[in-house]
Amino acid sequence: MYFAALLARTEDGWEASDTELDDVETLSDLADLAREASPDEDTVLVLIEQEDAWFGVVRVDGEEDPRIYVSDAAAAARSSYGEILLTDELLGRDPDDGDVLDALDLDGTEDGEADEDDDDAAEDGAGIAGAADVPHGPVGDALILDDLGVSEKELRLMSTDAVTEIAESLGASETLETVR
């Protein structure tokens, strides 16, 4: 089960809105959705949580590039919402590398000849494209909320109900509960 909300910082404090991510396909779409929540270009946080698996924070400050933090990249990679956040840049990958390397035959076997290592890799899941380079654990900007009162250490220690913990730290828990 997922929960996603937008928290927009205004002159009067935080404003929350429940958000549907069904039409969001890219990080750019998500950033645009966040910018629409704050016409004054204030800070907007997109909080996404998959129950007991992972959480993500996307911070949009005006027209700046979004900043992202994901608590467990490997868990998020198995989620359609997580895939939106796990950009090649966030994972330290060159988006063009995969296409070129996939086309090359680097294992020394003849075309069409199966390699025993390929069979073993397929059995243990390592043969899934891109799965091997997604780290278990947090990725992204752990200082994403530091200036708002949530330190890197606090963010990394959050787990099952992180969205609520973040809202409490920001003084926005009552506001968030109105859309939960």
Side-chain angles (χ1 to χ4, degrees):
M1 182 163 159
Y2 292 95
F3 174 72
L6 296 172
L7 280 179
R9 188 165 76 175
T10 67
E11 291 178 5
D12 301 326
W14 291 97
E15 292 181 9
S17 57
D18 190 10
T19 187
E20 284 295 323
L21 299 178
D22 294 339
D23 295 332
V24 174
E25 295 180 8
T26 66
L27 181 59
S28 180
D29 293 344
L30 188 60
D32 290 344
L33 181 70
R35 287 183 184 103
E36 289 172 12
S38 178
D40 295 331
E41 297 189 5
D42 293 317
T43 298
V44 179
L45 303 176
V46 181
L47 305 173
I48 303 172
E49 180 176 76
Q50 182 181 2
E51 198 170 290
D52 297 329
W54 67 276
F55 71 92
V57 179
V58 178
R59 179 176 176 161
V60 178
D61 293 301
E63 291 300 317
E64 292 181 27
D65 287 341
R67 296 167 54 194
I68 306 165
Y69 176 82
V70 176
S71 66
D72 186 338
R78 295 186 295 272
S79 155
S80 59
Y81 296 137
E83 288 178 349
I84 293 169
L85 305 181
L86 297 174
T87 63
D88 288 329
E89 182 180 351
L90 187 70
L91 296 173
R93 297 188 296 212
D94 182 354
D96 297 327
D97 282 351
D99 296 338
V100 173
L101 292 178
D102 289 344
L104 297 176
D105 179 19
L106 300 176
D107 65 3
T109 61
E110 297 294 323
D111 289 337
E113 181 182 329
D115 184 12
E116 290 177 25
D117 292 340
D118 289 344
D119 295 338
D120 294 341
E123 288 174 17
D124 69 12
I128 299 169
D133 60 353
V134 176
H136 290 275
V139 295
D141 184 355
L143 296 172
I144 193 168
L145 301 173
D146 195 55
D147 64 324
L148 300 175
V150 180
S151 70
E152 175 182 1
K153 181 179 179 182
E154 291 170 319
L155 188 62
R156 290 186 186 274
L157 290 174
M158 292 181 182
S159 57
T160 58
D161 199 15
V163 168
T164 300
E165 290 178 53
I166 290 169
E168 285 175 5
S169 296
L170 299 175
S173 57
E174 288 180 21
T175 303
L176 182 69
E177 286 305 313
T178 63
V179 297
R180 205 179 255 277

